[in-house]
Amino acid sequence: MVGEELLTAPSEADLLRQQLVRAQRLCSVGTLASSVAHEFNNILTTLINYAKLGLRPQCTEASRLEALEKILKGSQRAAAIVGSMLGYARNQAQQVASTDLIALIEDVLLLCEKDLSKHQVQIEKKFQGRPQAPVIRVQIEQILLNLIINARQAMPHGGRLSIEVRANPLARLAEIRISDTGVGIPPEKLRLIFDPFYTTKEPDDEGHGGNGLGLSVCRQIIEQHQGRIRVESMIGKGSKFTVKLPLTAGEERTPCIPA
C-alpha cells in the first residue's frame, strides 16, 4: 500500500508546475481587472438609469417594459462576466472533457472585449465548423487569454486581432490561429520566447515588465494535451501563433469546410 501511495503522489516538479500555472492564470486575470471594473461601472450606470426611468410615475407601460428588458440584459451580461472570471481564476478539480472550441473562444473574448476596445484593437473572427477537442477547459482558457493579451500588448497604437478556428481531419487536429498586426518579434528573440523566464516585454513607466512565464506555461499545457504550438513573426508586420489540439474521437472523419 505504501508503495502504491508513493507512485500516485505528485512529484515536486508536478506541484511546482501547478503553482506556476495558477500564478500565471491569476496574473492574466489581474491584467484585465481594470478593464473589467470599467465594464461593470458602465453596466451599473445603465441598470440605475433604466431603473429610474421605470419608476417614474409618467412612464408608460411600453417604456417600463423596455426598461425592464434593458435591466435584464445588463444583469445577464454582468453575470456572464463574473461567471467567466470566477471559473477561470478558481483552482478547482479539473477534468478532461470534449470542449466546443468556438464557444470557448467566445467566452474568452467576452472577458477581453472591453480591454481590446479600449486599446482600439479590432477583432476579426473566422470560424469553420465547431471542432471539439478533449481538453481541460480552464487550462485552454488560460492559453487563449494569454495569447490575446500578448497580441493586444504588441499593438500599443491599436490594430487588428484575427482569430481562426478550423478542424483538420487529415491531421486529426483542431487548429486555433491568433494573429496580430503588431510590432513583431526579432528573429534572435523568436527562438527563445517559449523558454521559462524569458520575456520580450520592456519595463513600463513603473518598471513592470513581463515575468517570462506566460508562453512557457502555455507550451507546457498544450503538450500535456498532446498538442503543439508554433509562432511566426515579422518585424513591423505582426505575429501569428498556431495552436493544434487533437480532435475529439469520431470527429476525425468530419469533412473540412473549404476556406
Side-chain angles (χ1 to χ4, degrees):
M1 291 296 294
V2 174
E4 291 179 359
E5 290 178 0
L6 289 175
L7 287 174
T8 58
S11 66
E12 290 186 12
D14 290 334
L15 293 174
L16 179 59
R17 186 179 298 109
Q18 292 173 11
Q19 292 172 359
L20 287 175
V21 169
R22 177 161 172 75
Q24 181 59 31
R25 182 161 66 247
L26 294 177
C27 181
S28 299
V29 171
T31 302
L32 292 172
S34 177
S35 295
V36 171
H38 285 296
E39 177 71 358
F40 266 91
N41 185 60
N42 293 336
I43 292 173
L44 289 174
T45 300
T46 300
L47 296 180
I48 292 170
N49 287 339
Y50 276 107
K52 289 180 178 178
L53 177 64
L55 289 172
R56 288 178 181 174
Q58 66 271 30
C59 183
T60 65
E61 189 65 25
S63 296
R64 186 172 287 110
L65 180 59
E66 181 184 0
L68 287 173
E69 289 176 345
K70 295 290 187 181
I71 290 172
L72 177 60
K73 184 177 181 180
S75 300
Q76 290 173 335
R77 175 165 175 75
I81 293 174
V82 170
S84 295
M85 292 204 72
L86 285 178
Y88 182 77
R90 282 178 185 144
N91 187 25
Q92 53 194 10
Q94 302 168 356
Q95 295 182 343
V96 173
S98 181
T99 299
D100 183 339
L101 294 178
I102 301 295
L104 182 58
I105 288 173
E106 294 283 17
D107 287 345
V108 173
L109 286 175
L110 179 64
L111 285 178
C112 301
E113 182 179 31
K114 186 68 177 181
D115 187 55
L116 295 173
S117 176
K118 175 184 175 183
H119 291 88
Q120 299 180 329
V121 175
Q122 298 178 340
I123 303 173
E124 181 181 88
K125 297 182 287 187
K126 296 180 182 178
F127 297 155
Q128 298 182 14
R130 301 199 75 87
Q132 307 274 329
V135 297
I136 296 175
R137 178 184 173 92
V138 71
Q139 291 187 345
I140 303 304
E141 281 181 344
Q142 175 172 352
I143 292 169
L144 296 171
L145 186 55
N146 188 276
L147 293 177
I148 290 172
I149 290 174
N150 284 353
R152 190 269 293 165
Q153 292 175 338
M155 299 181 284
H157 306 295
R160 185 177 68 256
L161 172 69
S162 299
I163 301 180
E164 303 176 56
V165 182
R166 71 184 185 97
N168 186 338
L170 295 179
R172 297 185 179 183
L173 294 171
E175 297 182 2
I176 303 172
R177 297 174 183 171
I178 298 179
S179 310
D180 64 68
T181 57
V183 296
I185 305 171
E188 67 273 13
K189 295 183 177 181
L190 197 60
R191 60 186 179 85
L192 301 172
I193 60 173
F194 293 110
D195 291 352
F197 304 107
Y198 180 82
T199 179
T200 62
K201 298 174 185 176
E202 299 293 334
D204 57 22
D205 294 338
E206 298 179 355
H208 302 300
N211 57 26
L213 290 175
L215 290 176
S216 174
V217 169
C218 283
R219 185 175 66 176
Q220 288 183 16
I221 293 173
I222 291 168
E223 290 178 350
Q224 287 170 4
H225 286 83
Q226 287 74 54
R228 55 184 183 270
I229 181 173
R230 66 185 179 89
V231 58
E232 303 169 57
S233 187
M234 291 182 63
I235 295 297
K237 299 291 185 180
S239 303
K240 177 171 70 176
F241 286 83
T242 301
V243 176
K244 297 184 178 183
L245 297 166
L247 287 169
T248 296
E251 193 172 343
E252 292 88 344
R253 294 182 293 277
T254 301
C256 185
I257 302 174

